Amino acid sequence: MSPVVRPFPRQPRAAGPLVWSCILGTTCLLLFLFQKILWLVVPFILALIIYYALLPAVLRLVLAGYSVTAGASLVCFGAFLLLGGALGLAAPWIAAHAVSWNEWGGRYLAGGVGFVLGSLSSLENSFEFLAQAHLTDSVRKGISDFSANFVSRNLAGAVMLAAAWLPSLLLAPFLAFFFLRDGRRFKKFIIHAVPNAFLERTLYLLDEVDRTARMYFTGLLKLTLLDTLTLALGLWSLGISAPLLLGLVTAVLAWVPYVGSILGCGLVVLVAATDFPGNPGMAYGAIGLFILVRLLDDFFFMPMTVGRSLHLHPLLTVIMIFVGGAVAGISGLMLVLPLLGVVMVLGETVGQVVNDPRLQARHSHARRLRHAAVTGDLQ
């Protein structure tokens, strides 16, 4: 009686410490390298955003009978034509209101400067050593010198920076078009280079990478909505003007962790100080509200939205944000979570392939059959 052969279990094994060490190390290395080629990374990310925004329309045209090339061309042409028309219609309105916006900006800047000088004056009245140092006069003089020389010092650098980044940013729609048109060809190119034994895992890998990138941007939109509503509710309760607009602008600025948050907080303080010039407590209240929302964002909202979309543990999400900032600065803060999500999918899939004896046996058997087929007539 022949022994019973039990099939090898096909349930994939969970990634172990070695695989996760490779995932985290690879993520940090890629962050360091990407910092050196931001001129390519930034338009690539923008192209992915455009790609995922336009992909449903392309798929709808494909289901209606169009080819992928025709669908991608029609959708991209329509989208860019719509954007160009909107910019063309908005240009006269922007030019007509440019003067009023300049006055509006100057009023809020003056309100912010008044709040800062008033706070320093209060500190001088409370602390003798600050009064002896004439801190308020020094800051007032520094602000005056900065305002007088800001344009002459920074205009040339700003123009050069814009000229350097403009070609890279124009690359984003070009890349998005070819992602939409030739994305399937790229997948077929990768699949044809994979041995048959690993074909199933490769298809799973490509699908998971695509899902990870799509879910990251979806989670980012959810996070922006949560931040907008929370900030708007808090600002409305304080009585600050345009709470929903301020909440939206600061939530979008928060896409750049920490740096964008500081800019958003400064914007909220400027508005609060201008709306309530004789009540500095409102500006302090706005600062407290912003700090509270940032804490909620970093420790609750982001793990619940972006982290959950990428299937990352909340603790790992928070730690990797700090690691990304330490390794690659501002660019690391922006790239660490989507990059970690993609590397996690790659690492876990490779780990499952390496640790799966059945897949290795299938690959070895296929190699022996190919070797026997090509050398049969040589024996």
Side-chain angles (χ1 to χ4, degrees):
M1 184 176 179
S2 60
V4 177
V5 179
R6 298 183 180 275
F8 190 83
R10 299 195 177 187
Q11 184 177 2
R13 298 175 57 184
L18 180 59
V19 173
W20 269 103
S21 298
C22 295
I23 290 173
L24 298 179
T26 303
T27 301
C28 294
L29 178 61
L30 290 176
L31 284 174
F32 178 77
L33 295 177
F34 284 174
Q35 186 187 19
K36 307 299 181 182
I37 54 171
L38 278 180
W39 59 270
L40 181 60
V41 174
V42 172
F44 187 85
I45 293 176
L46 294 176
L48 283 178
I49 296 175
I50 299 172
Y51 168 79
Y52 285 114
L54 300 182
L55 182 60
V58 175
L59 294 178
R60 187 175 293 274
L61 288 179
V62 171
L63 292 176
Y66 291 86
S67 65
V68 175
T69 301
S73 301
L74 289 174
V75 170
C76 289
F77 179 76
F80 298 140
L81 185 64
L82 182 63
L83 179 61
L87 292 177
L89 293 176
W93 183 81
I94 293 174
H97 292 80
V99 176
S100 61
W101 287 349
N102 187 26
E103 296 175 353
W104 174 82
R107 183 168 67 90
Y108 280 107
L109 286 176
V113 170
F115 167 71
V116 171
L117 295 179
S119 300
L120 292 177
S121 179
S122 300
L123 290 175
E124 285 186 349
N125 294 332
S126 303
F127 299 98
E128 183 64 26
F129 70 94
L130 293 179
Q132 294 177 356
H134 302 288
L135 182 61
T136 303
D137 294 337
S138 300
V139 172
R140 182 183 289 109
K141 182 179 179 181
I143 293 175
S144 177
D145 293 341
F146 178 80
S147 302
N149 301 317
F150 177 78
V151 175
S152 59
R153 290 178 181 175
N154 299 280
L155 181 60
V159 171
M160 293 298 295
L161 183 63
W165 274 97
L166 184 60
S168 296
L169 296 179
L170 292 177
L171 187 62
F174 183 76
L175 290 174
F177 169 71
F178 285 103
F179 288 168
L180 291 168
R181 196 190 73 172
D182 300 327
R184 293 185 178 182
R185 296 181 184 177
F186 177 72
K187 292 180 180 179
K188 291 180 180 178
F189 174 76
I190 295 179
I191 290 173
H192 289 162
V194 175
N196 289 335
F198 306 131
L199 180 61
E200 181 182 354
R201 290 292 181 188
T202 303
L203 293 175
Y204 167 79
L205 174 63
L206 293 175
D207 181 70
E208 281 295 296
V209 170
D210 179 71
R211 185 199 64 82
T212 299
R214 184 176 68 253
M215 293 302 292
Y216 169 75
F217 294 116
T218 303
L220 188 62
L221 293 177
K222 293 179 181 178
L223 177 64
T224 304
L225 179 61
L226 280 174
D227 285 346
T228 300
L229 295 178
T230 306
L231 281 168
L233 181 61
L235 295 173
W236 173 78
S237 64
L238 291 175
I240 297 176
S241 61
L244 187 60
L245 178 60
L246 279 176
L248 177 61
V249 171
T250 52
V252 173
L253 288 174
W255 289 0
V256 183
Y258 304 112
V259 176
S261 298
I262 293 174
L263 294 176
C265 182
L267 179 63
V268 171
V269 170
L270 289 179
V271 175
T274 305
D275 288 348
F276 303 93
N279 187 5
M282 295 300 297
Y284 294 133
I287 294 175
L289 170 66
F290 203 87
I291 293 174
L292 176 62
V293 173
R294 288 302 98 203
L295 292 175
L296 291 173
D297 183 65
D298 290 338
F299 293 100
F300 293 98
F301 293 163
M302 185 172 289
M304 286 192 308
T305 54
V306 176
R308 182 172 294 179
S309 298
L310 299 179
H311 299 293
L312 296 175
H313 192 277
L315 178 61
L316 180 62
T317 302
V318 174
I319 291 177
M320 287 306 297
I321 290 174
F322 287 97
V323 171
V327 172
I330 299 175
S331 58
L333 295 174
M334 297 179 63
L335 298 175
V336 62
L337 290 184
L339 185 60
L340 176 61
V342 172
V343 175
M344 180 184 67
V345 172
L346 294 173
E348 289 183 342
T349 304
V350 172
Q352 290 172 7
V353 169
V354 173
N355 294 322
D356 193 333
R358 185 174 181 84
L359 288 180
Q360 297 297 331
R362 287 173 56 187
H363 180 55
S364 299
H365 183 62
R367 292 182 61 183
R368 288 194 298 268
L369 291 177
R370 286 196 300 269
H371 184 267
V374 300
T375 60
D377 59 340
L378 299 178
Q379 298 177 358

